[in-house]
Amino acid sequence: MIRPGLYIEQFINWLTLHFANLFDVIKVSVEAVVGGLEWCLLLLPFYVVIALLGWLSWKRAGWGTGILAILGLLLIYGMGYWEKTMETLALILAAACIALLLGIPLGIWAAKNKLANKLLRPLLDFMQTMPAFVYLIPAVLFFGLGKVPGAFATIIFAMPPAVRLTTLGISQVPDSIVEATRSFGATPRQLLFKVELPLALPTILAGVNQTIMMALSMVVISAMIAAGGLGEIVLKGITQLKIGTGFEGGIAVVILAIILDRITQSFGKKKQTTAK
């Protein structure tokens, strides 16, 4: 009988044994980022955060979205889930930022190097199609329970769109523009930062939007390993058959998803309008 899972288990155990110090450093660093974001979000009074997010939604996506954001966040506060919502927002923002910091350079590398693209493509397929629950297993072995393994599993799950859409955006830059830039003596660095990345920005921003949305979809799954936040409320509703509690947690997640989606989408649309 062929048991590939046995070899993967041995590999994970080998990593856990030989890179324990590295995982400790990563754990402390990610804890500091998530904890710092949480502290900042909870330091401000709730009405200041609601006003800031409402103003940002209004400026970026219109007055309708601004009103929706303010009413939605007031509903979350009224339900008593403000602290859990800020915990979730901090975890999502930290995981999405790390996923983008890793994913965008990998996307640029894949766009510039055909071999890298061939190597990354099956890996990204694997990352996107593997059931998200599976990522919790190595995350717990590497980092134990808590927010850090939740962030780790979220990063793995949310990174593929950032890589794929960065590669797509740069690949779609017309050859005529690239050749014209080279003919004027531009260096590869100037070509990338002054021509290709600005032209690919709407597609890259679509990747940013998708990365944040996929990170948000991991909220409930991460709660299974004590990551906390709104996922904990939904999980409590499921395990204790408290239908009302589960729905309230779900409504809070949906409100947060709509606000983040509208704000991040607006950046991409603005760039596309400017480009036209």
Side-chain angles (χ1 to χ4, degrees), residues 32-55:
V33 173
V34 176
L37 279 170
E38 262 186 42
W39 182 80
C40 291
L41 290 169
L42 291 172
L43 179 68
L44 296 170
F46 77 93
Y47 50 84
V48 174
V49 177
I50 291 175
L52 285 173
L53 286 174
W55 174 80

Side-chain angles (χ1 to χ4, degrees), residues 153-214:
T154 304
I155 291 165
I156 299 295
F157 187 69
M159 194 165 60
V163 181
R164 287 188 192 280
L165 288 169
T166 301
T167 305
L168 178 67
I170 293 177
S171 303
Q172 284 180 334
V173 175
D175 291 338
S176 57
I177 294 177
V178 175
E179 290 303 321
T181 308
R182 283 179 177 152
S183 68
F184 281 106
T187 62
R189 182 185 293 269
Q190 289 171 327
L191 174 65
L192 176 65
F193 286 102
K194 295 189 175 180
V195 177
E196 289 176 322
L197 284 179
L199 289 174
L201 200 53
T203 311
I204 294 172
L205 288 172
V208 172
N209 173 268
Q210 289 301 305
T211 299
I212 292 173
M213 290 299 103
M214 292 191 75

Side-chain angles (χ1 to χ4, degrees), residues 26-109:
I26 294 172
K27 184 177 180 179
V28 171
S29 305
V30 176
E31 268 180 348
V33 173
V34 176
L37 279 170
E38 262 186 42
W39 182 80
C40 291
L41 290 169
L42 291 172
L43 179 68
L44 296 170
F46 77 93
Y47 50 84
V48 174
V49 177
I50 291 175
L52 285 173
L53 286 174
W55 174 80
L56 187 60
S57 302
W58 169 64
K59 288 294 287 183
R60 300 304 313 179
W63 61 270
T65 308
I67 292 173
L68 181 70
I70 290 171
L71 293 177
L73 291 170
L74 283 173
L75 176 63
I76 290 174
Y77 181 79
M79 291 190 294
Y81 299 140
W82 183 255
E83 192 173 331
K84 293 292 183 188
T85 303
M86 293 301 105
E87 285 179 13
T88 297
L89 186 59
L91 185 66
I92 289 167
L93 291 178
C97 286
I98 295 170
L100 291 170
L101 284 173
L102 295 172
I104 291 175
L106 283 174
I108 295 171
W109 185 42

Side-chain angles (χ1 to χ4, degrees), residues 111-131:
K112 296 288 182 183
N113 188 312
K114 288 183 179 177
L115 178 61
N117 192 27
K118 285 181 180 176
L119 291 173
L120 282 174
R121 192 178 296 173
L123 182 62
L124 294 172
D125 291 340
F126 178 85
M127 289 165 70
Q128 279 192 301
T129 53
M130 178 65 73

